[in-house]
Amino acid sequence: MQRKSKDLLWWPFTQHNLVPVDCVTVIDSRCGESFSAYKVKDNKMMMIPQFDACASWWTQGPDSKLQIELARDMGYAAARYGHVMFPENAHEPALRCAELLLGGIGKDWASRVYYSDNGSTAIEIALKMAFRKFSLDRGILLDSDKSITNERNIQLKVLALKGSYHGDTLGAMEAQAPSAYTSFLQQPWYSGRGLFLDPPTVFIRNGTCALSLPQSIQNCHLSPGDKCFPSLADVFCKSRDSSAAADLYSTYISQQLSEYSVSSNIEHIAALIIEPVIQGAGGMHMIDPLFQRVLVHECRDRKIPVIFDEVFTGFWRLGVESASELLGCLPDVACYAKLMTGGIVPLAATVTTEAVFEAFKSDSKLTALLHGHSYTAHAMGCSAAVKAIQWFRDPSTNSNLDFDRMKLKELWDGTLVNQLSSLPNVKRVVSLGTLCAIELQAEGSDAGYASLYARSLIQQLREEDDIYVRPLGNVIYLMCGPCTTRDVCTEQLSKVYHRISHFNPIH
Amino acid sequence: MQRKSKDLLWWPFTQHNLVPVDCVTVIDSRCGESFSAYKVKDNKMMMIPQFDACASWWTQGPDSKLQIELARDMGYAAARYGHVMFPENAHEPALRCAELLLGGIGKDWASRVYYSDNGSTAIEIALKMAFRKFSLDRGILLDSDKSITNERNIQLKVLALKGSYHGDTLGAMEAQAPSAYTSFLQQPWYSGRGLFLDPPTVFIRNGTCALSLPQSIQNCHLSPGDKCFPSLADVFCKSRDSSAAADLYSTYISQQLSEYSVSSNIEHIAALIIEPVIQGAGGMHMIDPLFQRVLVHECRDRKIPVIFDEVFTGFWRLGVESASELLGCLPDVACYAKLMTGGIVPLAATVTTEAVFEAFKSDSKLTALLHGHSYTAHAMGCSAAVKAIQWFRDPSTNSNLDFDRMKLKELWDGTLVNQLSSLPNVKRVVSLGTLCAIELQAEGSDAGYASLYARSLIQQLREEDDIYVRPLGNVIYLMCGPCTTRDVCTEQLSKVYHRISHFNPIH
């Protein structure tokens, strides 16, 4: 199977020349947080459970009990529904899933669910929604039938953060700042249709939680108390809204928006798109939530629709069902995928306010949102989401839920996290909800997405510790499910601590 | 459920104002080609089977036996694998599916399978592949690391056909000619990055199979024998390669390509993309296969990579496993989705030659294809594809397979098709494989995608004939599975014939 894989498959995000045939992991099966792979141990071929530390590209949530439940539901949904057409139709799984979404992550703001297949499509749909809403609010589309050609002069742009990543399709890529992913080599059609701001980040180093400001934001007015925090919880504290940092952010954002609108009168910032709190694919950077909150308010003031890309952050990934709870503000449109089905099958949802939905209503089909995928709202995906959403938020099935049931208990041992962050070869740690990310200290050609610096460490973790880690450049991370026990997390984190503290890359 | 659907859901491609609450179809279940919907009949609420004539957006293939098999396989795959990470890994369903694809639709040309989630993503991946291959062949990317910014001056374009449709994401949309789908209202970022040719079409009218040339192709040299055919089979005849039509097409295509390259030296036609034989979403138009074959040869001569978009046409939809068999020529890259899983769950594959794959190999991760979706090669999708691909091509499970096993028997009764095509309110009929499409004769505001002209006919078919039809503008079509019996097809087609022959729209 290793040989065949090398000969027939084309893996995503993989340089095939860098994968020796004996490094191909042949997976036999999965059970909850681990999968079983064939490995040679003690000169024998064995099946060894591997802790799936990358949560299979951040999709995974099930413990072994939920996986069994999901399997039963998948068989049932396939037998009962197969797949059936969605537009103008309804079936119970799609409706039930919509109710759970609107009563959960959409509570108090959303009223409509638009289904699609994955994060990228959910984002493209969100952009189309936001642009229509903006255009209507600004009177750009007063006479929609006649305006089709004239308005090509108007250029709608997004406001987004550097280092953010919103998916791999071209529309989603246009909403990210230039990066290794957007080069001509990868995306000959990319132009970067946005104003991309430099965000301040937060991380733990030497046991301290610190704010790091980008060069573009002056920092002479900030006191040490504005830049260091006793714990991560303090970073989320709402009292920071009246701090000097809030003023600094507000000024920076206003200034950037003014400069942009002065420099061009045909370009409009027509949507804000952010990954709330954690920018995933960009390297697991925690953005100062105060900065994002101020940004949302500045956009609200300017009637710019706000999109939260919760494809990675949604469904307890960061310890709460929706990361908007951490930010303390709400979007107009939000995108969910990955963990939504519990990690069993692809499905995405773009969730919106009624005001956004209204922007598409008329008596003509031509103003409807003409976007859809064949398997929209497929019954298996919706059934899985119904089960998973309920499972994660029910204290009788998810013992990690805190007493108030609105957030997960701390899963990564705080002392261990602080010790890790104090190792000389560790640059920063971010630990939140089901995620614990560690950036290794590396310089020059060892830095960046293409770095192979950590290769031997990864190999040790996989081979000797049975932790299946997949790095983002020099960022190594552990990710568990919303129901994974703290004991399991501590066991894995201890192994990683041990490996990193002895890590000495050979050049 | 009808009320709730209207309140919570946002359907794709649907103007909600045009869907009265009592017209929402509530689907209870599916069995093979039909689904059961709640309907009021004789003043009672009943569950009525509806023939799924739009094959739920062209995804459906299973007969009731296959659906049972698929349901069992879905439960098994979910219990055994859930979902597991794909890059650098392998599991049996993904490998087995790749073998079946390369031994079937990829036979004699393809050697690599790239999985994704749906047709749109498969197309975006195909475009990236073709552009890289073209750029390397033309020496545009001699020094990939340094060239990242310089090459923004070079504009890569596609060669495509007017009326084609390759998916809803922005990258896929860029490969289609301007249409109702690409207006500023729908796609503020659309620019149409291609040279779009006007293709000749073929259809049946008044019982005759006729060629229709667009204005841009002069036709004074064509004899009646070049423009009328005794049957559809004659249109596919290879002897047409030496006809006057072939010369005409070749001249037209060469001329268009020359004019384009003269007018711009920074724009390159870097890929050909076509839907082989039938352009689906554009209105079920059959393109003269001779034209597409000549087009492919002209591109080969110029080292322009060829992409077949088989998302709709693939897996027996047109009576053969791959529509390239009908065209009589092969692509460099081909995209599959929809029917690939038998119609149970989303999965897509972009299948390529080894030469295209080689264009991404180096010692740097930065030249790898940096595109991937979280559920890439998910085990349930691959398991379904393995079952469906084998089921459709095995004469012991698919009794529609002809003796030579390479194509389906005629499913739509030829006499009925000819009669339909002779009705005064029918403009054209296209009948091929599992598809029988009928365009109604309509003028002015009744024509085009937004037309509501056929609304009462659709309503009658749904309510009184229990055929769930969903039109494309004024095109009504019946679509069955590869294993649907000819008797079932005849029954449905007779009902449609009856309705259309009595159709008299009220204005």
Side-chain angles (χ1 to χ4, degrees):
Chain A
M1 285 177 76
Q2 287 180 317
R3 181 74 264 161
K4 270 192 191 170
S5 305
K6 283 284 289 176
D7 289 345
L8 308 181
L9 302 176
W10 186 341
W11 290 300
F13 286 97
T14 304
Q15 177 50 262
H16 278 247
N17 274 358
L18 299 176
V19 184
V21 67
D22 59 351
C23 286
V24 175
T25 303
V26 176
I27 298 175
D28 176 81
S29 48
R30 166 172 211 105
C31 180
E33 295 89 345
S34 295
F35 55 72
S36 285
Y38 295 93
K39 295 273 172 196
V40 178
K41 278 219 169 168
D42 308 327
N43 283 323
K44 275 187 236 157
M45 177 67 84
M46 299 170 86
M47 269 220 300
I48 311 274
Q50 305 265 301
F51 180 77
D52 182 3
C54 58
S56 286
W57 265 344
W58 323 344
T59 60
Q60 292 303 301
D63 50 22
S64 55
K65 280 186 199 156
L66 174 57
Q67 190 183 338
I68 293 166
E69 293 274 331
L70 285 171
R72 202 182 51 186
D73 289 2
M74 292 301 89
Y76 178 79
R80 176 162 175 185
Y81 298 100
H83 167 62
V84 292
M85 187 80 169
F86 188 56
E88 302 180 37
N89 300 342
H91 54 74
E92 205 183 311
L95 256 189
R96 191 82 193 90
C97 180
E99 287 180 308
L100 286 166
L101 290 170
L102 296 174
I105 50 89
K107 197 164 179 290
D108 298 331
W109 68 276
S111 73
R112 293 281 166 178
V113 175
Y114 203 102
Y115 289 108
S116 67
D117 294 342
N118 58 34
S120 298
T121 56
I123 293 291
E124 299 225 355
I125 290 162
L127 290 171
K128 289 178 185 183
M129 290 176 174
F131 289 164
R132 177 74 68 85
K133 178 79 173 91
F134 176 87
S135 301
L136 269 185
D137 286 349
R138 294 293 179 100
I140 294 176
L141 293 174
L142 283 179
D143 184 349
S144 60
D145 284 336
K146 288 186 190 155
S147 63
I148 286 167
T149 47
N150 300 344
E151 281 147 357
R152 286 288 167 217
N153 293 325
I154 292 167
Q155 290 180 28
L156 302 186
K157 305 270 169 156
V158 300
L159 180 62
L161 302 183
K162 285 184 188 163
S164 69
Y165 194 93
H166 302 291
D168 295 354
T169 55
L170 189 76
M173 294 300 279
E174 285 289 341
Q176 75 161 265
S179 73
Y181 304 111
T182 66
S183 69
F184 181 86
L185 196 63
Q186 294 295 337
Q187 304 274 348
W189 283 351
Y190 172 83
S191 64
R193 297 177 198 242
L195 168 60
F196 301 104
L197 303 182
D198 239 341
T201 59
V202 178
F203 52 78
I204 305 167
R205 185 163 186 184
N206 293 325
T208 305
C209 186
L211 174 70
S212 170
L213 292 173
Q215 280 193 320
S216 49
I217 305 185
Q218 291 179 16
N219 59 0
C220 50
H221 301 299
L222 292 196
S223 66
D226 286 323
K227 297 203 279 187
C228 283
F229 306 89
S231 76
L232 215 53
D234 298 284
V235 177
F236 292 104
C237 190
K238 277 280 225 171
S239 67
R240 292 183 65 216
D241 282 359
S242 53
S243 70
D247 289 343
L248 184 72
Y249 294 162
S250 175
T251 307
Y252 167 69
I253 293 162
S254 297
Q255 203 174 1
Q256 291 285 313
L257 284 170
S258 308
E259 281 174 19
Y260 193 79
S261 66
V262 166
S263 72
S264 167
N265 53 7
I266 55 161
E267 294 185 0
H268 297 271
I269 298 289
L272 167 69
I273 181 165
I274 55 171
E275 292 169 89
V277 187
I278 302 274
Q279 292 186 166
M284 301 293 174
H285 287 281
M286 178 169 164
I287 309 303
D288 186 354
L290 174 64
F291 181 81
Q292 292 190 324
R293 190 159 59 242
V294 170
L295 189 56
V296 168
H297 291 315
E298 295 291 339
C299 288
R300 284 256 179 283
D301 289 346
R302 292 166 175 83
K303 286 205 158 201
I304 297 169
V306 173
I307 301 168
F308 283 180
D309 174 355
E310 290 232 53
V311 171
F312 166 55
T313 62
F315 296 104
W316 309 96
R317 188 51 83 212
L318 305 187
V320 285
E321 194 172 30
S322 159
S324 64
E325 299 167 41
L326 294 174
L327 273 197
C329 56
L330 296 169
D332 300 293
V333 183
C335 302
Y336 293 88
K338 293 191 184 283
L339 252 176
M340 190 166 83
T341 60
I344 199 98
V345 78
L347 182 77
T350 306
V351 177
T352 78
T353 62
E354 197 70 7
V356 170
F357 176 69
E358 291 289 334
F360 289 80
K361 283 172 88 173
S362 81
D363 290 329
S364 166
K365 189 162 180 184
L366 294 179
T367 73
L369 182 43
L370 302 181
H371 185 124
H373 300 280
S374 351
Y375 285 92
T376 298
H378 60 100
M380 266 186 283
C382 292
S383 298
V386 166
K387 174 60 57 70
I389 292 171
Q390 293 182 103
W391 188 274
F392 293 149
R393 75 159 77 128
D394 180 350
S396 74
T397 45
N398 185 357
S399 60
N400 282 340
L401 282 173
D402 218 341
F403 290 121
D404 64 1
R405 296 177 189 181
M406 292 304 290
K407 63 191 190 75
L408 302 182
K409 292 173 195 156
E410 187 183 76
L411 295 172
W412 309 104
D413 182 87
T415 311
L416 249 177
V417 167
N418 284 341
Q419 284 172 355
L420 247 172
S421 79
S422 306
L423 291 174
N425 49 5
V426 168
K427 193 171 167 187
R428 62 178 177 96
V429 178
V430 170
S431 160
L432 190 63
T434 68
L435 168 73
C436 185
I438 304 129
E439 183 171 357
L440 300 173
Q441 193 67 265
E443 308 292 339
S445 66
D446 286 334
Y449 176 70
S451 169
L452 303 173
Y453 174 76
R455 194 145 68 157
S456 63
L457 178 66
I458 303 302
Q459 215 53 33
Q460 285 168 358
L461 284 165
R462 289 186 185 183
E463 296 299 325
E464 290 167 50
D465 297 320
D466 298 322
I467 304 182
Y468 188 87
V469 167
R470 188 178 156 96
L472 282 161
N474 290 315
V475 178
I476 285 168
Y477 58 91
L478 290 172
M479 203 179 281
C480 65
C483 313
T484 308
T485 65
R486 194 181 149 101
D487 286 353
V488 168
C489 293
T490 305
E491 187 192 336
Q492 310 303 328
L493 193 59
S494 303
K495 289 184 187 172
V496 169
Y497 174 78
H498 176 81
R499 281 292 159 205
I500 294 181
S501 63
H502 293 86
F503 176 53
N504 186 16
I506 300 144
H507 287 275
Chain B
M1 285 177 77
Q2 287 180 317
R3 181 73 265 162
K4 269 191 192 170
S5 306
K6 283 283 289 177
D7 289 346
L8 307 181
L9 302 175
W10 186 342
W11 289 301
F13 285 98
T14 304
Q15 176 50 261
H16 278 246
N17 274 356
L18 299 177
V19 185
V21 66
D22 58 350
C23 286
V24 175
T25 303
V26 176
I27 298 175
D28 176 82
S29 48
R30 166 172 213 106
C31 180
E33 295 90 344
S34 295
F35 54 73
S36 285
Y38 295 94
K39 294 273 172 198
V40 179
K41 279 220 168 166
D42 307 327
N43 284 322
K44 277 186 234 156
M45 177 67 86
M46 299 171 86
M47 270 220 301
I48 311 273
Q50 306 264 302
F51 180 77
D52 182 3
C54 57
S56 287
W57 267 344
W58 324 342
T59 59
Q60 293 302 301
D63 51 22
S64 55
K65 279 187 200 157
L66 174 57
Q67 192 183 338
I68 294 166
E69 294 274 330
L70 286 170
R72 200 182 52 187
D73 289 2
M74 292 302 87
Y76 179 81
R80 176 161 174 185
Y81 298 99
H83 167 62
V84 292
M85 187 81 170
F86 188 56
E88 301 181 38
N89 299 342
H91 53 75
E92 204 182 314
L95 256 188
R96 191 80 193 89
C97 180
E99 286 179 308
L100 286 166
L101 290 170
L102 296 173
I105 51 90
K107 196 164 182 288
D108 298 330
W109 68 275
S111 72
R112 292 280 165 179
V113 175
Y114 203 101
Y115 290 107
S116 66
D117 295 341
N118 58 35
S120 299
T121 56
I123 293 291
E124 297 224 357
I125 290 162
L127 289 171
K128 290 178 184 183
M129 290 175 172
F131 290 163
R132 177 75 67 85
K133 178 78 172 90
F134 176 88
S135 301
L136 269 185
D137 287 350
R138 292 295 179 96
I140 295 176
L141 294 172
L142 282 179
D143 185 347
S144 59
D145 285 335
K146 286 183 193 159
S147 63
I148 286 167
T149 47
N150 300 344
E151 281 148 359
R152 286 286 167 214
N153 295 325
I154 292 168
Q155 290 178 30
L156 302 186
K157 305 270 170 158
V158 300
L159 181 61
L161 302 184
K162 285 183 188 165
S164 68
Y165 194 94
H166 302 292
D168 294 353
T169 54
L170 189 78
M173 293 299 280
E174 286 289 342
Q176 74 161 266
S179 74
Y181 303 111
T182 66
S183 69
F184 180 87
L185 196 65
Q186 293 296 337
Q187 303 275 348
W189 283 351
Y190 172 83
S191 64
R193 298 176 197 243
L195 168 60
F196 302 105
L197 303 182
D198 240 341
T201 59
V202 178
F203 52 78
I204 304 168
R205 186 165 185 182
N206 292 325
T208 305
C209 188
L211 175 68
S212 170
L213 292 174
Q215 282 193 319
S216 50
I217 306 185
Q218 292 179 16
N219 59 0
C220 51
H221 301 302
L222 292 197
S223 67
D226 285 324
K227 296 203 278 186
C228 285
F229 306 89
S231 76
L232 215 53
D234 298 285
V235 176
F236 293 104
C237 189
K238 278 281 226 173
S239 68
R240 292 183 66 216
D241 282 359
S242 53
S243 69
D247 289 343
L248 184 71
Y249 294 161
S250 175
T251 306
Y252 167 69
I253 294 161
S254 296
Q255 203 173 1
Q256 291 287 312
L257 285 170
S258 307
E259 281 173 20
Y260 193 79
S261 67
V262 166
S263 71
S264 168
N265 54 9
I266 57 163
E267 294 184 0
H268 297 272
I269 297 289
L272 168 68
I273 180 164
I274 55 170
E275 292 169 89
V277 187
I278 302 274
Q279 293 186 343
M284 300 294 176
H285 287 282
M286 177 167 165
I287 309 303
D288 185 355
L290 175 64
F291 181 82
Q292 291 190 324
R293 190 159 60 243
V294 171
L295 190 56
V296 168
H297 290 315
E298 294 292 338
C299 287
R300 285 254 180 284
D301 288 347
R302 292 166 175 83
K303 286 204 160 202
I304 297 168
V306 173
I307 302 168
F308 284 179
D309 173 355
E310 289 232 53
V311 171
F312 166 55
T313 63
F315 296 106
W316 309 97
R317 189 51 84 211
L318 305 187
V320 286
E321 194 171 30
S322 159
S324 65
E325 297 167 42
L326 293 174
L327 274 196
C329 57
L330 296 170
D332 300 292
V333 182
C335 302
Y336 293 88
K338 293 189 183 282
L339 252 176
M340 190 166 84
T341 61
I344 199 97
V345 79
L347 182 76
T350 306
V351 177
T352 77
T353 62
E354 197 70 8
V356 170
F357 175 71
E358 291 289 334
F360 289 79
K361 283 173 88 172
S362 83
D363 290 329
S364 166
K365 190 161 179 185
L366 294 178
T367 73
L369 182 43
L370 301 182
H371 185 125
H373 300 279
S374 349
Y375 285 92
T376 299
H378 59 100
M380 266 185 283
C382 292
S383 298
V386 166
K387 173 60 57 73
I389 292 170
Q390 293 181 105
W391 189 274
F392 294 147
R393 91 165 56 137
D394 180 350
S396 74
T397 44
N398 185 357
S399 58
N400 283 339
L401 281 173
D402 219 342
F403 290 123
D404 64 1
R405 296 178 191 184
M406 291 305 288
K407 63 189 189 77
L408 302 182
K409 292 174 195 156
E410 187 182 73
L411 295 172
W412 309 103
D413 181 87
T415 310
L416 250 177
V417 166
N418 284 341
Q419 285 172 355
L420 247 173
S421 79
S422 306
L423 290 174
N425 48 5
V426 167
K427 193 171 169 187
R428 61 179 178 94
V429 177
V430 169
S431 160
L432 191 63
T434 68
L435 168 73
C436 183
I438 303 130
E439 184 170 359
L440 300 174
Q441 191 68 264
E443 306 294 339
S445 66
D446 287 333
Y449 176 69
S451 170
L452 304 173
Y453 174 77
R455 195 145 65 156
S456 63
L457 178 66
I458 303 302
Q459 215 54 31
Q460 285 168 359
L461 285 164
R462 288 187 186 182
E463 297 299 325
E464 291 167 49
D465 296 321
D466 298 323
I467 303 182
Y468 188 88
V469 166
R470 189 179 154 94
L472 281 162
N474 290 315
V475 178
I476 285 168
Y477 58 91
L478 290 171
M479 204 179 279
C480 64
C483 313
T484 307
T485 65
R486 193 181 150 101
D487 286 352
V488 169
C489 293
T490 304
E491 187 193 338
Q492 309 302 328
L493 193 59
S494 303
K495 288 184 189 175
V496 169
Y497 174 77
H498 177 79
R499 281 291 160 205
I500 294 181
S501 63
H502 293 86
F503 176 54
N504 186 17
I506 299 145
H507 285 278

